[in-house]
Amino acid sequence: MIVLRNLVDADAPAVRRIYSGAAVSFLGRPEMTAREAEEYVRRVRQWAAADPVEQYILGVEHAGDLVGVVKLGRRPGGHGRVSYVLREDSWGRGHATQAVRELVAFAFTAGGFDSLGAKHHPGNPASGRVLAKAGFTRLGTRNGMVEYRIPAPAGPGG
C-alpha cells in the first residue's frame, strides 16, 4: 500500500536517491546532487503553498519509505500533465500504478481537471503499462515520445 503525501525538508536525501541510477535514464537529466535535492524539495513546498496550485508534486511513500514522486501540472483549458519517477529498487511492485491511479482520482475530484495527459520515452515500455493500467489511452508518438490521454469521467447521468 502506498500513500501520496507532501514533501518535507527531511525528504531531500530520499529525493536524491529517487533521482539517481536507472530511474533518470529516460528523464533527460543527470542524477540529482544533494544540493539539487534540497533546492527541489524547497521549491516543491513553495509550489504546494501557492494559491492556486499550478503544480502538485507529491511523495510516494511505501511502508514509511519515500520511494517516488508523482507530479500533476496544470495546463490551459483544464488539462493536466501527469508524470512520475520511482526509485529503481521499488520497480515492478505496482507502486507506480497505484500512485498514478490515486493522482488521477485526485485530479478529477479535488483538482478540478477536465483531462489529463502523460508521455514516456519509447525505450521505457514499463511506463506505458503503468499509464494503461491507470486508465490512460495511448494516442501515438509525438516529438519522439509516446503520448497518452484520459478524459474526466462522465458525471452523474452523463
Side-chain angles (χ1 to χ4, degrees), residues 1 4 13 16 22-23 30 42 49-50 54 62 64 76 98 112 119-120 124 127-130 139 146-147 150 153:
M1 172 116 178
L4 299 185
R16 182 178 184 206
R42 207 172 8 259
E54 293 298 318
H62 176 260
Q98 186 180 357
K119 61 185 177 180
H120 72 82
N124 186 6
S127 194
R129 290 190 295 274
V130 166
L139 300 177
V146 183
E147 297 269 343
I150 184 173

Side-chain angles (χ1 to χ4, degrees), residues 8 34 142:
V8 297
R142 182 173 164 206

Side-chain angles (χ1 to χ4, degrees), residues 70-121:
V70 291
K71 302 176 185 182
L72 174 61
R74 197 172 297 279
R75 301 289 195 263
H79 184 68
R81 178 65 80 177
V82 171
S83 61
Y84 52 93
V85 59
L86 264 70
R87 200 174 66 213
E88 182 180 4
D89 65 354
S90 67
W91 293 355
R93 298 182 180 160
H95 302 325
T97 300
Q98 186 180 357
V100 171
R101 283 179 176 155
E102 288 186 24
L103 190 65
V104 166
F106 167 80
F108 291 140
T109 56
F113 290 84
D114 296 325
S115 65
L116 300 174
K119 61 185 177 180
H120 72 82
H121 188 280

Side-chain angles (χ1 to χ4, degrees), residues 4-5 9 17 20-21 25 40 53 61 63-64 69 74 79 82 94 109 118 127 146 154 158:
L4 299 185
R5 65 167 178 80
D9 289 337
R17 283 187 62 211
S20 68
S25 60
Y40 179 80
V53 175
E61 186 175 289
V69 175
R74 197 172 297 279
H79 184 68
V82 171
T109 56
S127 194
V146 183

